Amino acid sequence: MAAAWLATLGLTGCTGMTPSGVTPDAPRAGDAAIPGEGDAGVGGLVPGSLTVSWMHGSADCTQNADPEVQVHPYNATTYIIRQNKCRTFEAPFVYLLIGSQSALSFDTGATNTQTLRDTIKGLIGTKPLLAAHSHAHGDHIASDGKFAGQPGMTVVANTVAGQQAAFAITTWPETLGHYELGGRALDVIAIPGHELTHIAIYDRQTGLLLTGDSLYPGLLFIPDWTTYRASIHRLAQFAQARPIAHVLGAHVEMSATPKVVYPYGTLYQPNEHVLQLTAAHLVELDAALIQLGPNKPAQPIPHDDFVIDPT
Ligand SMILES: [Zn+2]
């Protein structure tokens, strides 16, 4: 196992590597059967599987044989797609939610290739797609240009006004937004702080709460402390009133060992934390931010499953 320690900043990944066209991989050994759309789960939620072995880079990326993207079917109409860490150290997770009328993707990834778009196209068939973003950082919007102008595909503009228009958010960031995929309603919560256009999406059908870079098992960078604290508090209050199956963010940077983060920019995470967090993590984050108070701390604050990093 590679050594893991608290992150130090400054390294860069192999984002300049030339990707080759690769097909999405099949469910890996150990993947559970895919629950169907009509199956009722806990609290009336449609269940899904997170039994998956995510590709996690290589000690020597020249020997890495993983595909450009890994597609995991959470259920028949919900997909989680990870990009290869050897092609981008960010190795973001992209989400695809499909309704009876249309589909929504959440982020266009960290590499400017058409693989993600073609993968999504293959999963949605002829349904129209809204290519949405958690926020406007480069590792979440890199292949926007591959989606733009494609038949049936609309890309949300990377501005607050763009988020408001796409999701009918009347007053940013206080009021809830909505989106309807056909038999599948989404709530959209504006949560600026990590970045000013940041949103979270709640899928009422599955109870998945997609939190982008605002909460995930890794370094939670917080440039705007005041705004982030308010956003997380609003999000926690939203979640408290609803069934939450999983809290799913855009990256994994923690080790499976509590409080331990891989070095920033690493291309290999052999013992990484699972992707999924819970509503309890959101409560934990909110409580910690309240306790830390209005003044930005000078040092990162490690929790077992995430690190508050305002530095
Ligand atoms: Zn970000």
Side-chain angles (χ1 to χ4, degrees), residues 135 137 139-140 194-195 213 251:
H135 64 294
H137 283 157
D139 54 318
H140 301 263
H194 168 78
E195 192 272 342
D213 278 4
H251 306 275

Side-chain angles (χ1 to χ4, degrees), residues 4-70:
W5 54 89
L6 277 175
T8 51
L9 305 183
L11 295 176
T12 56
C14 54
T15 49
M17 289 178 69
T18 305
S20 55
V22 182
T23 52
D25 79 358
R28 295 186 168 199
D31 279 9
I34 303 167
E37 200 171 355
D39 303 333
V42 178
L45 300 176
V46 176
S49 167
L50 282 166
T51 305
V52 54
S53 171
W54 293 112
M55 55 185 189
H56 49 258
S58 294
D60 177 0
C61 278
T62 65
Q63 303 298 313
N64 183 279
D66 290 333
E68 185 175 345
V69 296
Q70 176 183 0

Side-chain angles (χ1 to χ4, degrees), residues 189-221:
I189 310 98
I191 51 168
H194 168 78
E195 192 272 342
L196 61 88
T197 70
H198 207 303
I199 59 170
I201 287 183
Y202 176 70
D203 174 23
R204 295 185 195 176
Q205 185 183 87
T206 57
L208 296 179
L209 181 63
L210 308 181
T211 49
D213 278 4
S214 291
L215 176 56
Y216 67 91
L219 290 169
L220 309 179
F221 289 113

